[in-house]
Amino acid sequence: MKRLASLLLVLCLLCPLMAQAAEDYTVAEKLVKQLWAGSGFSGTLTVDVQSETGASTVKPIVLDADYIYVRETAEKTAEHRLDVTLMDGENALSAVYAQIKDGALSFQADVISPDWYVYAPGKEASPAQSQLDALKDGALAHTGAAQIVQTALMLLPLCQEDSDLSDALESYTTRIDVWMEGYREEALLDKTADGVTTMQSRYTIPSAAIKAQMKQLVLDVLADEELLMALYDAFGGETGRYYFNPALQNWYFGVIEELPLTGCITLSRTVSIKGDVLETRLSLPLYDAHSGESTLSYERTQGEGDLPDNRALRFETADHVFALLYQAYSSMTGVNVMQGTFTADGKAVAFTLKQEESLNRDDESRDVYGYDIDLTLRPQESESETQLVLVSRFMSRELKSAPTETDITLSVQDDDSTVKLHFNGSTRKKWEPEPLSGGRTDVSDLTEADLLSILPGTAVRFAALTAPFLSIPQQPAETAE
């Protein structure tokens, strides 16, 4: 119950604006910060494919990439620029250039033509203005709620681990517990097969009551100087002041009001006389204009013996049913493991996901952050298996301006083929990209005849460009009967 109370408290305090991270960040997050600050990045992607039935590489495909985010100035709006070049040794064979600016994608590819093209799905307002307009129009029923939940789930462990903050929150979590008791419908006594006495409690809470309580908590917390100081400290000074800002009270109220909750939220818990939580069931009815009514439910039952708990997450609409059934645990070596089955409209895939993080220093006295993933997929009623292995390393010295290097390898392997992608690169000093040419063809204006005149030549040039790198097995000739 404390965990649910803490989650509700964090949910009611967070707005959908994403703040910058606290000063304690990983080297991978440092890379993102440097890119966002305007540093450039240069790297090389190497692709190797080996297949028994399809195309294979006779030599690796090598792509050089240069990326920079050009920050907004008083005279110019911000833009993203990316250049990708196909290399053969020291020789540049072909290139693709792209720019994202003012909501439009402009690109030029040698394999298509020397001309520039632009795709502008619609003029976009600034992110801040878009969020304000969305709040006024009620559109945050999707994006705002999703960002609130995502941010709350990321920050919830901090609320639980920080002892000073936990003490400051104690009266609020207790208040939520007492408030929830007002919605308890029943409490049933029972016994397990082992003879242990249990009590099942069921709560039904109207969505309007949830929102009203969240607003009351916002009022109380934003007026609680002691708790605000604890929150500021826990969330890193400026970040805390960004999230928990009394001046944004009306904003918080607006976001809470637009949460896509409808109907009643139901919660059922079964607890043993020893205090062990044997089963938890939570159901959240949702609604949005695109998919209509839907239900998000969560179940957690205690595993037998030393086995981890069984968890189930389901999302149901009128037309679709998605379910994630899994067990999660951490090994003695610090590897986080999730194992289970994902089902989409009756089609199931068994999976095993292993994640591991590492922090150390290399021989050059650089901080090294590692993040590794090993994912195995096995479709239902099939003996075939696909394995994805990601090994990533981010290296940098302590100085904030020190460049950050990356070394990432992704391998995808099944019964017939292996694909290996290796990417390495480093941040570098910012540069000023060359202005784009004025004349650009709008993709939306291209007719079917235009496409028919472009595509055949593009296909021929692409085939000629990739031919030296690929080996395509010959199809056996058909014989007449």
Side-chain angles (χ1 to χ4, degrees), residues 13 16 21 30 36 79 149 168 201 248 288 318 333 353 355 357 374 378 388 407 416 435-436 447 449 473-474:
L13 291 171
K30 179 180 180 179
W36 188 247
E79 64 175 308
V149 172
S201 302
L248 295 179
D288 66 64
T333 58
L353 173 63
Q355 302 176 77
E357 291 184 274
D374 188 327
R378 185 182 295 107
L388 297 86
D407 192 283
D416 301 320
L436 301 187
T447 64
Q474 297 292 326

Side-chain angles (χ1 to χ4, degrees), residues 258-476:
E258 294 300 333
L259 288 173
L261 300 177
T262 183
C264 294
I265 296 171
T266 60
L267 170 67
S268 173
R269 296 197 324 145
T270 302
V271 183
S272 73
I273 196 171
K274 300 177 182 179
D276 298 326
V277 179
L278 305 181
E279 184 178 77
T280 300
R281 297 176 183 270
L282 177 66
S283 178
L284 300 173
L286 307 172
Y287 176 82
D288 66 64
H290 296 286
S291 57
E293 293 184 355
S294 58
T295 302
L296 177 65
S297 60
Y298 172 76
E299 299 176 11
R300 180 171 180 169
T301 56
Q302 188 180 58
E304 297 182 2
D306 295 331
L307 294 177
D309 291 351
N310 298 302
R311 311 183 195 198
L313 189 64
R314 293 183 174 86
F315 182 72
E316 301 180 40
T317 68
D319 302 318
H320 303 284
V321 177
F322 303 96
L324 179 64
L325 312 177
Y326 67 98
Q327 294 179 324
Y329 61 92
S330 296
S331 70
M332 296 186 66
T333 58
V335 179
N336 296 318
V337 182
M338 181 185 292
Q339 190 171 22
T341 303
F342 175 74
T343 304
D345 295 334
K347 297 181 179 180
V349 177
F351 70 90
T352 300
L353 173 63
K354 301 177 182 179
Q355 302 176 77
E356 183 176 10
E357 291 184 274
S358 61
L359 293 170
N360 52 61
R361 287 207 171 192
D362 62 11
D363 296 337
E364 301 179 32
S365 296
R366 297 179 301 178
D367 292 324
V368 181
Y369 169 75
Y371 182 68
D372 301 337
I373 294 178
D374 188 327
L375 174 63
T376 302
L377 303 172
R378 185 182 295 107
Q380 188 179 41
E381 300 178 356
S382 173
E383 295 182 358
S384 65
E385 187 175 273
T386 300
Q387 184 178 28
L388 297 86
V389 178
L390 174 71
V391 179
S392 62
R393 295 293 180 269
F394 302 85
M395 297 80 67
S396 184
R397 299 185 186 277
E398 289 186 6
L399 190 65
K400 289 184 178 181
S401 60
T404 301
E405 298 181 34
T406 64
D407 192 283
I408 303 172
T409 300
L410 173 64
S411 299
V412 182
Q413 183 175 1
D414 59 20
D415 296 339
D416 301 320
S417 61
T418 300
V419 179
K420 184 176 181 180
L421 295 87
H422 178 249
F423 181 78
N424 63 78
S426 175
T427 56
R428 47 179 283 205
K429 291 183 178 180
K430 65 179 66 176
W431 67 88
E432 192 67 33
E434 295 183 6
L436 301 187
S437 60
R440 303 174 210 178
T441 302
D442 194 326
V443 174
S444 302
D445 295 335
L446 294 176
T447 64
E448 184 175 347
D450 294 329
L451 293 175
L452 290 175
S453 66
I454 293 173
L455 294 179
T458 300
V460 170
R461 285 188 289 272
F462 181 79
L465 199 61
T466 57
F469 298 91
L470 298 177
S471 172
I472 302 177
Q474 297 292 326
Q475 298 296 326

Side-chain angles (χ1 to χ4, degrees), residues 35-89:
L35 295 178
W36 188 247
S39 295
F41 187 92
S42 293
T44 300
L45 174 66
T46 303
V47 182
D48 183 70
V49 180
Q50 299 300 321
S51 175
E52 296 179 5
T53 58
S56 299
T57 52
V58 295
K59 58 181 178 180
I61 299 173
V62 180
L63 301 169
D64 283 351
D66 294 301
Y67 165 81
I68 189 169
Y69 170 67
V70 183
R71 295 178 64 85
E72 182 179 9
T73 66
E75 296 79 21
K76 299 179 181 179
T77 56
E79 64 175 308
H80 300 266
R81 294 289 290 270
L82 174 66
D83 302 339
V84 179
T85 305
L86 175 64
M87 304 296 295
D88 186 3

